[in-house]
Amino acid sequence: MVVQYRVLGALEVTLDGADVPVPVGRCRVLLAALLLRPNRFVSVDELAELVWDGAPPARARQSLHQVVRRLRVALGEADCVRTLSGGYEARVGPDELDLLRFRELVAAQDFAAAVKLRRGPLLTNVVSELFHRNEVRHVAEECAEVVARSKRPVPRLLPAAMPRFVGRDGHLRRLTSLAEETGPVIATITGTAGVGKSVLAVQWAHSTTDRFPDGQLHVNMRGFDRHRDPMPPGDVLNRFLEALGVLVERIPEALDDQVALYREMTADRRLLVVLDNVRDADHVRPLLTGPSFVLITSRDRLTGLAGRDVALDVLSAEEARTLLVSRLGEKRVDTADDLVAWCGGLPLALAIVAARAAEVPHLPLSALAADLADERTRLDSLDTGDAETSVRTVFQWSYQRLSPQAARMFRLVGLHPGPDLTIPAATSLAGEPADDAVRELVGANLLVEHAPGRFTCHDLLRVYAADRAQADEPEASRAAAVERMLDHYLHTLECMNRTHYWNHLGTLEEPPVPSAGTTPEVFERPDEAEAWFHAERAVIYAVVVQAGDQGYDRHTWQLVWFMTDLVERFGLWREWIGLFARTTEVVERLGDRLQVSRFVFLRAVGHGRLGELERGVELFEAADLVCAEIGLVPGRVRAQAGIAWLLGELDRPHEAVEVARRSLALLRGFEGRTPTRMRMALYQLSGALVLAGRHAEVLELGAEWESLDGVADPHLSGQMASELARAYIGLGRHAEAVAELLGALESFEQMGTWVDVAYAENFLGDAHLGLGDAAEARVWWEKAAARYAEHEHSDEAAVRAKLASVS
């Protein structure tokens, strides 16, 4: 059974397609009144007023009941009237009543379909002046408004979408989720120049036209146009109002009046408005009231708008490759990894490269990659001759809008090797407080705060910044900025060494003095210093390389000098050994034989730590020769002790003992010997004696160690305790070995390296096995094996073999 009730024209009821006659007079008024308020309670008093046209009888309730009874009899199976306490309702569904279906279509913004449900003037076959005045009038106005909306123009101002759009899936989903929110939404797409903000906005807008049936408005606000002024809000409103159907002569002159009319014209429409290339928040404020969804793109962070921000970064390597494949084909992009790398994932740069490659189909992509590899010509290679699409020009639009302080800071960033910098480093670089300038660059998306307090920029932006520094910053200013930057890292490291570390090589004869304007960082606690170092490791490495490349010899070797203990402490020899070699060349060139001896010695230590033992011995011997040449006895003692160490590692323990004894004898005959130097020599001989199996002699050296004056370096104390423990193990005194090794670990926690910790853990396993506690031995060996594995150290295999032996 299918029942239909129609009120959007004459009152009609059908049952399975056949008309159901509704009695004229009061029955029709009653049914129409209930159907105009579907599924809602209508009181007896209200119905009586309508049914008797404002003059109900004295016993209206009883009389109305009779009318209801007559109506129900007439409707039969089509009866929808339900009796409620004190009134009645018409219980109908959207598929039964045309008014409900009409309202559903309006809610879905399908005005054309809603209008088609109207069949003419409303309820002309229902007679009641009060009913028409109080009830029908409101529904008629509702219908008239929908008719007007159905006749309104639907603006489609979106530019064409890019035919081969790739990537950005997460960003597209994010925008779609924002469009599903209720109420007006302001969303922003922000990011650096050339990252693809406009392309993403237009692509998404085209993919969601069904969500905005009242149309899409779009305008290029020209916020970063080099040749034209930004689009004034009044011009935008004129364009939008005309697109919305307002006659030109009806558009007001005053901006406030334009805003009011725009709000009125958009308040009830499901519109998407794309405001592209917005300069800043003030540029678009007048355009934000009214539309249901406003999407803004800008290089500025637009923090004042409190919108939902979609931050856009460069494409991943996979996405960048996909983009090139979409333009050039899979076969040609087979060897494009270098090309992708030099473009840094910047969509604009990739598009330019793809266009150049498409113009010359037979040109190998490796030739384009070679052009991009040279920083001096990279931006020229990405110049299309079109101001809208050339990378250098697009960057310039952002640069020219900066304040003088921020523009200078941006130029100086081009002098910093990266990969990132902090506010303190920027302050030294600029020689003045840099916080405001850096924040302005972040707001302009020329810098990105990729980690708290750490700022970076795209590689192409860094090249452009260096370009601007060369063109706009005087040579003397550039040189002073570079010196302050180098001093910043040098003197921060110097302070760390002086305050928190034992400098095993002694102090510099002429400590460096920071240049004016440098503000090195100072740390109250060792953990703060180490946190800074771990965050700055890659930066310091790049700074040393830059200092060497640019001829800052003093900074080069002194930076590496103050890095020595940190490299040793954190096991960074594999990463830094090449720089120690380069630094040796620098001090050789300077003719500083003292520093030559020291850096040759440090390289020997590094090769020893890396397991390159023969090379280490060669370098220790070379250091010994340089020290002999300049009469540096402490240097000879250190070098010979190093030789003894590596001879022991090479399983030549008796040779190691002889070299270590000569080293100690040389020191005993030196008038300038100190307790610290004596302890180092005693420790080195102890290690050789342990390897030679002469354990009792080690304990004698331990007694001499204890008799020396002064406070021992905790690191060296831990090392000596480790050798004493090995001697106790050799003598079968395992409990004493455990005590020494636990003391060694305590010292290493205060000042030691991962190698020292692993060494102690390994022999704690040996000592516990000697005590008959295999389970505890496994615990310590597993710790040592894990440390060795983490640093790819050759001793891991020996420890794993011990674990296997007790499994």
Side-chain angles (χ1 to χ4, degrees), residues 342-606:
W342 293 126
C343 289
L346 191 71
L348 175 61
L350 289 161
I352 292 171
V353 166
R356 285 187 61 192
E359 288 174 359
V360 192
H362 303 298
L363 179 69
L365 294 187
S366 58
L368 291 175
D371 286 346
L372 292 172
D374 189 342
E375 279 194 4
R376 296 168 298 179
T377 59
R378 190 174 304 165
L379 293 179
D380 294 331
S381 300
L382 298 172
D383 189 348
T384 63
D386 178 357
E388 294 290 330
T389 57
S390 291
V391 170
R392 179 185 276 109
T393 306
V394 169
F395 287 165
Q396 186 169 346
W397 297 342
S398 294
Y399 172 69
Q400 67 188 10
R401 288 192 55 249
L402 298 171
S403 68
Q405 293 77 14
R408 178 172 180 265
M409 188 73 254
F410 178 69
R411 296 193 294 270
L412 297 182
V413 167
L415 306 177
H416 188 283
D420 57 13
L421 80 167
T422 61
I423 295 289
T427 296
S428 288
L429 184 62
E432 61 185 15
D435 190 276
D436 290 345
V438 168
R439 295 296 172 188
E440 184 177 339
L441 293 176
V442 170
N445 272 303
L446 293 173
L447 284 181
V448 176
E449 190 172 7
H450 71 104
R454 305 198 68 81
F455 303 88
T456 189
C457 65
H458 191 276
D459 286 347
L460 289 174
L461 268 174
R462 193 180 294 278
V463 172
Y464 178 69
D467 234 21
R468 297 279 25 105
Q470 190 69 30
D472 302 341
E473 194 73 16
E475 182 179 354
S477 176
R478 295 198 306 270
V482 170
E483 184 143 358
R484 286 192 301 270
M485 175 196 70
L486 297 175
D487 277 350
H488 175 83
Y489 296 104
L490 173 62
H491 288 276
T492 301
L493 287 168
E494 187 275 334
C495 180
M496 287 174 58
N497 275 263
R498 177 165 33 85
T499 308
H500 300 300
Y501 294 94
W502 293 76
N503 194 321
H504 297 131
L505 297 179
T507 58
L508 294 180
E509 287 74 8
E510 297 181 11
V513 177
S515 52
T518 305
T519 53
E521 298 179 63
V522 177
F523 308 102
E524 293 184 1
R525 303 194 314 271
D527 61 321
E528 293 175 339
E530 289 180 10
W532 176 87
F533 167 70
H534 286 301
E536 297 281 6
R537 259 174 59 187
V539 177
I540 298 169
Y541 189 97
V543 165
V544 173
V545 171
Q546 177 174 312
D549 290 345
Q550 295 183 0
Y552 288 87
D553 291 343
R554 178 181 65 83
H555 287 90
T556 301
W557 75 259
Q558 289 184 352
L559 279 163
V560 175
W561 169 274
F562 288 116
M563 276 293 298
T564 302
D565 278 356
L566 293 162
V567 170
E568 172 75 354
R569 177 170 172 76
F570 297 109
L572 307 179
W573 284 108
R574 194 172 303 280
E575 176 183 329
W576 277 76
I577 192 69
L579 287 188
F580 277 89
R582 289 182 61 177
T583 304
T584 306
E585 295 173 6
V586 169
V587 291
E588 285 269 21
R589 185 169 63 248
L590 292 174
D592 190 336
R593 303 299 286 165
L594 172 61
Q595 298 307 332
V596 169
S597 71
R598 287 170 167 174
F599 281 106
V600 172
F601 172 84
L602 291 172
R603 288 170 59 201
V605 172

Side-chain angles (χ1 to χ4, degrees), residues 532-745:
W532 176 87
F533 167 70
H534 286 301
E536 297 281 6
R537 259 174 59 187
V539 177
I540 298 169
Y541 189 97
V543 165
V544 173
V545 171
Q546 177 174 312
D549 290 345
Q550 295 183 0
Y552 288 87
D553 291 343
R554 178 181 65 83
H555 287 90
T556 301
W557 75 259
Q558 289 184 352
L559 279 163
V560 175
W561 169 274
F562 288 116
M563 276 293 298
T564 302
D565 278 356
L566 293 162
V567 170
E568 172 75 354
R569 177 170 172 76
F570 297 109
L572 307 179
W573 284 108
R574 194 172 303 280
E575 176 183 329
W576 277 76
I577 192 69
L579 287 188
F580 277 89
R582 289 182 61 177
T583 304
T584 306
E585 295 173 6
V586 169
V587 291
E588 285 269 21
R589 185 169 63 248
L590 292 174
D592 190 336
R593 303 299 286 165
L594 172 61
Q595 298 307 332
V596 169
S597 71
R598 287 170 167 174
F599 281 106
V600 172
F601 172 84
L602 291 172
R603 288 170 59 201
V605 172
H607 285 287
R609 293 298 188 207
L610 294 174
E612 299 163 0
L613 307 180
E614 296 286 0
R615 179 59 175 152
V617 170
E618 289 175 10
L619 288 168
F620 277 132
E621 289 174 344
D624 188 23
L625 286 174
V626 177
C627 291
E629 171 195 323
I630 60 177
L632 186 65
V633 173
R636 295 198 66 194
V637 170
R638 279 196 303 269
Q640 291 174 13
I643 295 169
W645 162 46
L646 293 186
L647 287 173
E649 294 291 315
L650 286 165
D651 200 23
R652 293 156 63 182
H654 299 294
E655 293 176 67
V657 169
E658 291 309 310
V659 173
R661 283 201 186 281
R662 287 201 304 270
S663 172
L664 179 58
L666 181 63
L667 183 60
R668 289 191 195 279
F670 176 53
E671 291 184 359
R673 66 179 178 277
T674 64
T676 298
R677 287 170 177 162
M678 284 295 299
R679 287 190 179 98
M680 176 64 77
L682 291 170
Y683 155 69
Q684 205 64 61
L685 178 55
S686 297
L689 289 168
V690 165
L691 290 174
R694 295 157 68 170
H695 302 115
E697 294 177 56
V698 175
L699 301 186
E700 293 174 10
L701 294 177
E704 183 178 354
W705 167 291
E706 291 295 335
S707 69
L708 293 170
D709 296 333
V711 178
D713 170 353
H715 180 212
L716 191 55
S717 294
Q719 291 178 315
M720 185 62 182
S722 298
E723 298 309 317
L724 287 169
R726 293 184 67 187
Y728 281 128
I729 291 172
L731 294 169
R733 296 160 63 177
H734 297 102
E736 291 167 280
V738 168
E740 289 288 351
L741 288 166
L742 291 176
L745 282 177

Side-chain angles (χ1 to χ4, degrees), residues 26 44-45 48-49 51-52 55-67 88:
R26 295 185 178 95
V44 168
D45 292 341
E49 284 287 325
V51 168
W52 276 279
R59 301 181 64 188
R61 183 176 295 273
Q62 291 84 350
S63 299
L64 186 64
H65 179 70
Q66 294 300 319
V67 175
Y88 300 89

